[in-house]
Amino acid sequence: MMDTVNIAMALFLGIGLSAACGFRIFIPPFALSLAALNGTVELSPDWQWVGSYPAVAVFAIATVIEVLAYFVPWINNALDSIEVFAAPVVGTFLTASTLSMAGEFNPVMTWVVAAIAGGGTAEVIEGASVLARFATAGLTAGVGTPAVSLAEMLSSIILSVLAILVPILAFLLVIFLVIYCLRRLAWLRRHRKRARQVDN
């Protein structure tokens, strides 16, 4: 019973951090690194490097650069084209690292679950974020982009902190976000299909 609880909480933590990757890639690893460094999160020996001072420094620098870059017009579009592929990769690694906390969890299953739950969640959130930013840029001629960037940064920070401190609450929030994002993506697909039919 205890093993099941440990696995569930580790998975909730990983999924919460992975979802936060959909808003900003480096904030969740930075948060996990800090949590591991101060003992809030205890990773397995294979992942102890995440909580080292060099890792914290690297993630901190990467986080600052990423956050600032998203406030620069047009650079954020270039980052989107990169992060739409990078987010699921980082989400997968984050979930794999947290599942290592659950003790003797099958290594193969760890990566399978991490790729599906962590990588999939990060991809859904990232995809919806990119579309929202493009829509805002088009409607406001780029004026509204900084506001969206700020909202995404705060969302990533809040979700990362919740995932570390209250994993089950973060997981419930992620479920809501994923459902909302999937509905928005489905609506956009239908809207584009109708637009093509009208053009034809």
Side-chain angles (χ1 to χ4, degrees):
M1 179 64 178
M2 185 58 67
D3 287 342
T4 302
V5 173
N6 290 338
I7 291 173
M9 296 305 290
L11 183 60
F12 293 163
L13 169 59
I15 290 176
L17 291 173
S18 297
C21 277
F23 295 112
R24 287 294 176 273
I25 283 186
F26 289 111
I27 289 176
F30 178 47
L32 180 62
S33 187
L34 284 177
L37 183 64
N38 64 30
T40 302
V41 171
E42 295 185 10
L43 300 175
S44 72
D46 291 339
W47 293 92
Q48 287 295 316
W49 62 270
V50 174
S52 65
Y53 284 104
V56 170
V58 170
F59 288 136
I61 294 171
T63 296
V64 171
I65 293 174
E66 180 188 30
V67 167
L68 293 179
Y70 263 102
F71 285 99
V72 179
W74 311 118
I75 290 182
N76 50 30
N77 291 335
L79 285 175
D80 282 337
S81 63
I82 297 172
E83 294 198 351
V84 72
F85 298 105
V89 175
V90 177
T92 297
F93 274 88
L94 283 173
T95 302
S97 70
T98 60
L99 283 174
S100 72
M101 299 163 50
E104 295 298 324
F105 196 60
N106 185 285
V108 175
M109 284 302 300
T110 293
W111 287 104
V112 170
V113 172
I116 295 173
T121 299
E123 181 66 13
V124 170
I125 303 297
E126 174 68 26
S129 298
V130 169
L131 291 176
R133 198 176 303 110
F134 279 147
T136 301
L139 292 173
T140 65
V143 175
T145 302
V148 174
S149 295
L150 177 61
E152 290 176 345
M153 179 191 71
L154 293 176
S155 296
S156 186
I157 292 173
I158 293 170
L159 196 50
S160 296
V161 172
L162 277 179
I164 292 170
L165 299 181
V166 195
I168 191 168
L169 179 58
F171 178 70
L172 294 175
L173 180 57
V174 169
I175 290 177
F176 169 79
L177 285 173
V178 168
I179 292 174
Y180 174 78
C181 290
L182 288 175
R183 287 171 64 90
R184 293 294 296 176
L185 291 171
W187 176 86
L188 181 63
R189 189 177 296 111
R190 291 194 301 269
H191 180 73
R192 287 180 173 177
K193 183 178 180 180
R194 286 197 296 267
R196 285 195 299 267
Q197 291 173 345
V198 171
D199 291 338
N200 294 333

